Each structure stands twice: as C-alpha cells, then as structure tokens.
Amino acid sequence: MKNVIIFEDDFRIAVLLKEKINELADYQCEAVFSNPIEFLENPIPADIYLLDIIMPKMNGLDAIKKILALYPESNIIINSIREDSDTIFNAIQLGAIGYIDKQSFQMDYQEVFDAIQDDGAYMTPKIARKVIAHFQKKKNDLEKLTQCEIAITNDILDGLSYKLVADRHNLSIDSVRSHIKNIYRKLNINSKSKLFNTFKI
C-alpha cells in the first residue's frame, strides 16, 4: 500500500481528495496539511505528495526542495489551478514528477499514481499541451536566428559576460552587443530576463 500526503488549504477540496484516494485499492491517504510549514514541523514520509501551489505561509514551489531534501525518493505531483508556463516549468525544474490541472474534477487518481511508478511521470492534457507548445515555440524561435546568434544566445544563457562571449568567438565586444540587439529584435524581446524565459528548459 502506497502512502499519499495531501497539501491543500481548501478544507472541502482536501476532504474530497482524501476520500477519492482512500477508495483506491493500492493507495491510502493518512495525512492532510493546509500548508507546508505544518508538514515541515512534523514531517511524515510518503511515497507520493500531492501538492497545491497557492497556500498560506509557504507556497508549493518553495516546498518542493524542502520535501525532497527530507525524502529524496518520494514523488511530488502538483495539483493546482496555476497553469501558466513559468509555474509549470519551475515546478518541473525543482523536482515535481507530475502536474495536474486542479480543475480536472473527474481525475482518475489511480491512473495518475500508477503512471509515476517505475520512473514514470504524469501531466493532464491541458498541462502537457502547454509543455509541447513551449518546445514548439522554442524551436520556431531558434529557426529565426543564425548559427552565430544561436551560439551567442547559448553563451548568454550559460551566464557568460559579453567579454567572455567575445573572446570565445574572436569578436569585439561591440560586435557581440550588435548580435545581441539583432537577437532581441528577431525574438521581439528587450532584456536578458526575457531571453531566459524564452529558452528556459
């Protein structure tokens, strides 16, 4: 029997989730926390943590690392109404192995939990579509750039200064700045932070 812990500050939703999980043959939920601080004060090991994003005292994204530091072999599934790309990719980068759109009320949790066993992962169709759209946009954006501009973009994303980029490609700093301006123009952005957002993951 696999143990599931729920993080949910809406009591009604928490009760419904717990009931659904306890109806499953191979999974049980013995604990529900309204925020991560309560859990971290008295941590409980579990196979799966079903984690909301928007919670009082500490949000779910901040909690991911802390939970995995305590129980690195556990699986974290985000269960949230937040479905913007930044939140999805932040959660994945921090270590979440699944992402559920909380508005999918008829979710088959048996399917979700079974999917993440044996190193699997799970996303609801709406979330998966956003992930696919991100990579399609990334590919389209790269096709706008020359090979030299792609190389410079990768250097900037790796944290290199303009001087180091210039030295690596045998260019002047003014040439690097000119390339960066062209990259920004082609991608319709105007800052390094937006460049990171365009090509994150």
Side-chain angles (χ1 to χ4, degrees):
M1 186 72 73
K2 301 287 187 181
N3 188 29
V4 181
I5 287 179
I6 295 170
F7 293 81
E8 174 57 63
D9 63 314
D10 186 316
F11 179 76
R12 181 182 61 84
I13 293 176
V15 169
L16 289 173
L17 281 174
K18 185 175 181 180
E19 288 176 353
K20 277 192 168 188
I21 292 167
N22 286 333
E23 289 172 356
L24 304 178
D26 303 318
Y27 302 93
Q28 64 179 2
C29 175
E30 295 180 351
V32 176
F33 294 91
S34 62
N35 66 75
I37 297 295
E38 289 181 0
F39 168 81
L40 293 169
E41 289 172 349
N42 294 285
I44 302 171
D47 299 287
I48 298 167
Y49 295 94
L50 196 60
L51 184 63
D52 195 4
I53 294 286
I54 305 169
M55 290 180 287
K57 299 185 181 180
M58 179 185 288
N59 68 58
L61 291 177
D62 291 337
I64 293 173
K65 273 189 176 180
K66 295 181 182 296
I67 295 169
L68 290 177
L70 289 169
Y71 306 112
E73 299 302 315
S74 61
N75 294 296
I76 294 177
I77 300 173
I78 300 300
N79 182 46
S80 177
I81 60 171
R82 290 286 298 273
E83 55 186 52
D84 58 284
S85 296
D86 283 348
T87 300
I88 294 168
F89 285 111
N90 282 339
I92 293 169
Q93 288 174 321
L94 289 166
I97 203 68
Y99 205 111
I100 298 171
D101 163 26
K102 190 189 278 189
Q103 297 179 66
S104 301
F105 296 110
Q106 303 305 316
M107 179 63 56
D108 182 347
Y109 287 94
Q110 181 79 43
E111 178 185 348
V112 175
F113 298 154
D114 285 350
I116 66 169
Q117 303 304 313
D118 301 319
D119 299 322
Y122 188 93
M123 293 182 189
T124 47
K126 186 187 289 187
I127 299 301
R129 190 178 185 96
K130 286 180 178 290
V131 173
I132 291 168
H134 170 84
F135 286 108
Q136 288 173 338
K137 181 180 183 301
K138 180 176 175 179
K139 178 178 180 292
N140 292 337
D141 285 337
L142 283 172
E143 288 175 350
K144 298 174 184 176
L145 306 180
T146 67
Q147 288 302 310
C148 180
E149 289 167 347
I150 291 171
I152 290 173
T153 297
N154 287 330
D155 290 341
I156 296 298
L157 294 176
D158 286 340
L160 272 64
S161 67
Y162 283 11
K163 184 179 186 311
L164 288 174
V165 174
D167 291 344
R168 174 175 285 187
H169 299 285
N170 197 27
L171 298 168
S172 68
I173 290 182
D174 285 342
S175 292
V176 172
R177 289 196 179 103
S178 177
H179 280 300
I180 294 293
K181 285 180 182 177
N182 286 335
I183 291 165
Y184 285 3
R185 177 180 54 78
K186 289 179 179 181
L187 299 179
N188 195 29
I189 58 175
N190 56 18
S191 68
K192 188 185 292 186
S193 63
K194 289 183 179 179
L195 186 68
F196 275 91
N197 286 338
T198 299
F199 292 107
K200 67 163 51 177
I201 295 192

Coordinates of all heavy atoms in Angstrom, one line a residue, residues 148-187:
C148 N 25.6 31.7 -35.6 CA 26.4 32.6 -34.8 C 25.5 33.1 -33.6 O 25.9 33.1 -32.5 CB 27.0 33.7 -35.6 SG 28.0 34.8 -34.6
E149 N 24.3 33.6 -34.0 CA 23.4 34.1 -33.0 C 22.9 33.1 -32.0 O 22.8 33.3 -30.8 CB 22.2 34.8 -33.6 CG 22.5 36.1 -34.4 CD 21.4 36.6 -35.3 OE1 20.5 35.8 -35.6 OE2 21.5 37.7 -35.7
I150 N 22.7 31.8 -32.4 CA 22.4 30.7 -31.5 C 23.5 30.4 -30.6 O 23.3 30.3 -29.4 CB 22.0 29.5 -32.3 CG1 20.7 29.6 -33.1 CG2 21.9 28.2 -31.4 CD1 20.4 28.5 -34.1
A151 N 24.7 30.4 -31.1 CA 25.9 30.2 -30.2 C 26.0 31.3 -29.2 O 26.3 31.0 -28.0 CB 27.2 30.1 -31.1
I152 N 25.8 32.5 -29.6 CA 25.9 33.6 -28.6 C 24.8 33.6 -27.6 O 25.0 33.8 -26.4 CB 25.9 35.0 -29.4 CG1 27.2 35.2 -30.1 CG2 25.7 36.2 -28.4 CD1 27.3 36.4 -31.0
T153 N 23.6 33.2 -28.1 CA 22.5 33.1 -27.1 C 22.8 32.0 -26.1 O 22.5 32.2 -24.9 CB 21.2 32.7 -27.9 OG1 20.8 33.7 -28.8 CG2 20.0 32.4 -27.0
N154 N 23.3 30.9 -26.5 CA 23.6 29.8 -25.6 C 24.7 30.2 -24.6 O 24.6 29.9 -23.4 CB 24.1 28.6 -26.3 CG 23.0 27.8 -27.0 OD1 21.9 27.8 -26.6 ND2 23.3 27.2 -28.1
D155 N 25.7 31.0 -25.0 CA 26.7 31.6 -24.1 C 26.1 32.5 -23.1 O 26.4 32.4 -21.9 CB 27.7 32.3 -24.9 CG 28.6 31.4 -25.8 OD1 28.6 30.2 -25.5 OD2 29.3 31.9 -26.7
I156 N 25.1 33.3 -23.5 CA 24.5 34.3 -22.6 C 23.6 33.5 -21.6 O 23.7 33.8 -20.4 CB 23.6 35.3 -23.3 CG1 24.4 36.2 -24.2 CG2 22.8 36.1 -22.4 CD1 25.5 37.0 -23.5
L157 N 22.9 32.5 -22.0 CA 22.1 31.6 -21.2 C 23.0 30.8 -20.2 O 22.6 30.5 -19.1 CB 21.3 30.6 -22.0 CG 20.2 31.2 -22.9 CD1 19.5 30.2 -23.7 CD2 19.2 32.0 -22.0
D158 N 24.3 30.6 -20.6 CA 25.2 29.9 -19.7 C 25.8 30.8 -18.7 O 26.6 30.4 -17.8 CB 26.3 29.2 -20.5 CG 25.8 27.9 -21.2 OD1 24.8 27.4 -20.8 OD2 26.5 27.5 -22.2
G159 N 25.5 32.1 -18.8 CA 26.0 33.1 -17.8 C 27.3 33.8 -18.2 O 27.9 34.5 -17.3
L160 N 27.7 33.6 -19.4 CA 29.0 34.3 -19.8 C 28.8 35.8 -20.0 O 27.7 36.2 -20.5 CB 29.5 33.7 -21.1 CG 30.4 32.5 -21.0 CD1 29.7 31.3 -20.4 CD2 31.0 32.1 -22.4
S161 N 29.8 36.6 -19.6 CA 29.8 38.0 -19.9 C 30.0 38.3 -21.3 O 30.5 37.4 -22.1 CB 30.9 38.7 -19.0 OG 32.1 38.3 -19.5
Y162 N 29.7 39.5 -21.7 CA 29.9 39.9 -23.1 C 31.4 39.7 -23.5 O 31.7 39.3 -24.6 CB 29.5 41.4 -23.4 CG 28.0 41.6 -23.5 CD1 27.1 40.5 -23.1 CD2 27.4 42.8 -23.9 CE1 25.7 40.7 -23.2 CE2 26.1 43.0 -24.0 CZ 25.2 41.9 -23.7 OH 23.9 42.1 -23.7
K163 N 32.3 40.1 -22.6 CA 33.7 39.9 -22.9 C 34.1 38.5 -23.1 O 34.9 38.2 -24.0 CB 34.5 40.5 -21.7 CG 36.0 40.5 -22.0 CD 36.8 41.0 -20.8 CE 38.3 41.1 -21.2 NZ 38.9 39.9 -21.7
L164 N 33.6 37.6 -22.3 CA 33.9 36.1 -22.5 C 33.3 35.6 -23.8 O 33.9 34.8 -24.5 CB 33.4 35.3 -21.3 CG 34.2 35.5 -20.0 CD1 33.5 34.7 -18.8 CD2 35.6 35.0 -20.1
V165 N 32.1 36.1 -24.1 CA 31.5 35.7 -25.4 C 32.3 36.2 -26.5 O 32.6 35.4 -27.5 CB 30.1 36.3 -25.5 CG1 29.5 36.0 -26.9 CG2 29.1 35.7 -24.4
A166 N 32.8 37.4 -26.4 CA 33.7 38.0 -27.5 C 34.9 37.2 -27.6 O 35.4 36.9 -28.8 CB 34.0 39.5 -27.1
D167 N 35.6 36.9 -26.5 CA 36.8 36.1 -26.6 C 36.6 34.7 -27.2 O 37.4 34.2 -28.0 CB 37.4 35.9 -25.1 CG 37.9 37.2 -24.6 OD1 38.1 38.2 -25.4 OD2 38.1 37.3 -23.4
R168 N 35.5 34.1 -26.8 CA 35.2 32.7 -27.3 C 35.0 32.7 -28.8 O 35.4 31.7 -29.5 CB 33.9 32.2 -26.6 CG 33.5 30.8 -27.1 CD 32.3 30.3 -26.4 NE 32.7 29.7 -25.1 CZ 31.9 29.1 -24.2 NH1 30.7 28.8 -24.6 NH2 32.4 28.6 -23.1
H169 N 34.4 33.7 -29.4 CA 34.1 33.7 -30.8 C 35.0 34.7 -31.6 O 34.7 34.9 -32.8 CB 32.6 34.1 -31.0 CG 31.7 33.2 -30.3 ND1 31.4 31.9 -30.9 CD2 31.0 33.3 -29.2 CE1 30.6 31.3 -30.1 NE2 30.3 32.1 -29.0
N170 N 36.1 35.2 -30.9 CA 37.0 36.0 -31.6 C 36.3 37.3 -32.2 O 36.5 37.6 -33.4 CB 37.8 35.3 -32.7 CG 39.1 36.0 -33.1 OD1 39.6 36.8 -32.3 ND2 39.5 35.8 -34.4
L171 N 35.5 37.9 -31.4 CA 34.7 39.0 -31.8 C 35.0 40.2 -30.9 O 35.6 40.0 -29.8 CB 33.2 38.8 -31.7 CG 32.6 37.7 -32.6 CD1 31.2 37.4 -32.2 CD2 32.7 38.1 -34.1
S172 N 34.7 41.4 -31.3 CA 34.8 42.6 -30.4 C 33.6 42.6 -29.6 O 32.5 42.1 -29.9 CB 34.9 43.9 -31.3 OG 33.7 44.1 -31.9
I173 N 33.7 43.3 -28.4 CA 32.5 43.5 -27.6 C 31.4 44.2 -28.3 O 30.2 43.9 -28.1 CB 32.9 44.2 -26.2 CG1 33.8 43.3 -25.4 CG2 31.6 44.6 -25.5 CD1 34.2 43.8 -24.1
D174 N 31.8 45.2 -29.1 CA 30.7 45.9 -29.9 C 30.0 45.0 -30.8 O 28.8 45.1 -31.0 CB 31.4 47.1 -30.7 CG 31.8 48.2 -29.8 OD1 31.2 48.3 -28.7 OD2 32.6 49.0 -30.2
S175 N 30.7 44.0 -31.4 CA 30.1 43.0 -32.3 C 29.1 42.1 -31.5 O 28.0 41.8 -32.0 CB 31.1 42.2 -33.0 OG 31.9 42.9 -33.9
V176 N 29.5 41.7 -30.3 CA 28.6 40.9 -29.5 C 27.4 41.7 -29.2 O 26.3 41.2 -29.3 CB 29.4 40.5 -28.2 CG1 28.4 39.8 -27.3 CG2 30.5 39.5 -28.5
R177 N 27.6 43.0 -28.8 CA 26.4 43.8 -28.5 C 25.5 43.9 -29.7 O 24.2 43.9 -29.6 CB 26.8 45.2 -28.0 CG 27.5 45.2 -26.7 CD 27.6 46.7 -26.1 NE 28.2 46.7 -24.8 CZ 29.4 47.1 -24.6 NH1 30.2 47.4 -25.6 NH2 29.9 47.1 -23.3
S178 N 26.1 44.1 -30.9 CA 25.3 44.2 -32.1 C 24.5 42.9 -32.4 O 23.3 42.9 -32.7 CB 26.2 44.4 -33.3 OG 25.5 44.5 -34.5
H179 N 25.1 41.7 -32.1 CA 24.5 40.4 -32.3 C 23.3 40.3 -31.3 O 22.2 39.8 -31.6 CB 25.4 39.3 -32.1 CG 26.3 39.0 -33.3 ND1 25.7 38.6 -34.5 CD2 27.6 39.0 -33.5 CE1 26.7 38.4 -35.4 NE2 27.9 38.6 -34.8
I180 N 23.6 40.7 -30.1 CA 22.5 40.7 -29.0 C 21.3 41.5 -29.4 O 20.2 41.1 -29.3 CB 23.1 41.1 -27.7 CG1 24.1 40.2 -27.2 CG2 21.9 41.3 -26.6 CD1 23.6 38.8 -26.8
K181 N 21.6 42.7 -30.0 CA 20.4 43.6 -30.4 C 19.6 42.9 -31.5 O 18.4 42.9 -31.5 CB 21.0 44.9 -30.9 CG 21.4 45.8 -29.8 CD 21.9 47.2 -30.4 CE 22.4 48.1 -29.3 NZ 23.0 49.4 -29.9
N182 N 20.4 42.2 -32.4 CA 19.7 41.5 -33.5 C 18.8 40.3 -33.0 O 17.7 40.1 -33.4 CB 20.7 41.0 -34.5 CG 21.2 42.1 -35.4 OD1 20.6 43.1 -35.6 ND2 22.4 41.9 -35.9
I183 N 19.4 39.6 -32.0 CA 18.7 38.5 -31.4 C 17.4 39.0 -30.7 O 16.3 38.4 -30.9 CB 19.6 37.8 -30.3 CG1 20.7 37.1 -31.1 CG2 18.8 36.8 -29.5 CD1 21.9 36.6 -30.1
Y184 N 17.5 40.1 -29.9 CA 16.4 40.7 -29.2 C 15.3 41.1 -30.3 O 14.1 40.9 -30.1 CB 16.8 41.9 -28.4 CG 17.5 41.5 -27.1 CD1 17.8 40.2 -26.8 CD2 17.8 42.5 -26.2 CE1 18.5 39.9 -25.6 CE2 18.5 42.2 -25.0 CZ 18.8 40.9 -24.7 OH 19.5 40.6 -23.5
R185 N 15.8 41.7 -31.4 CA 14.8 42.2 -32.4 C 14.1 41.0 -33.0 O 12.9 41.1 -33.2 CB 15.6 43.0 -33.4 CG 14.7 43.5 -34.6 CD 15.5 44.3 -35.6 NE 16.7 43.6 -36.1 CZ 16.6 42.6 -37.0 NH1 15.4 42.2 -37.5 NH2 17.7 42.0 -37.4
K186 N 14.8 40.0 -33.4 CA 14.2 38.8 -34.0 C 13.2 38.1 -33.1 O 12.2 37.5 -33.6 CB 15.3 37.9 -34.5 CG 16.1 38.4 -35.7 CD 17.2 37.4 -36.1 CE 18.0 37.9 -37.3 NZ 19.0 36.9 -37.7
L187 N 13.5 38.1 -31.8 CA 12.7 37.4 -30.9 C 11.6 38.3 -30.3 O 10.8 37.8 -29.5 CB 13.5 36.8 -29.7 CG 14.6 35.7 -30.2 CD1 15.4 35.2 -29.0 CD2 13.9 34.6 -30.9

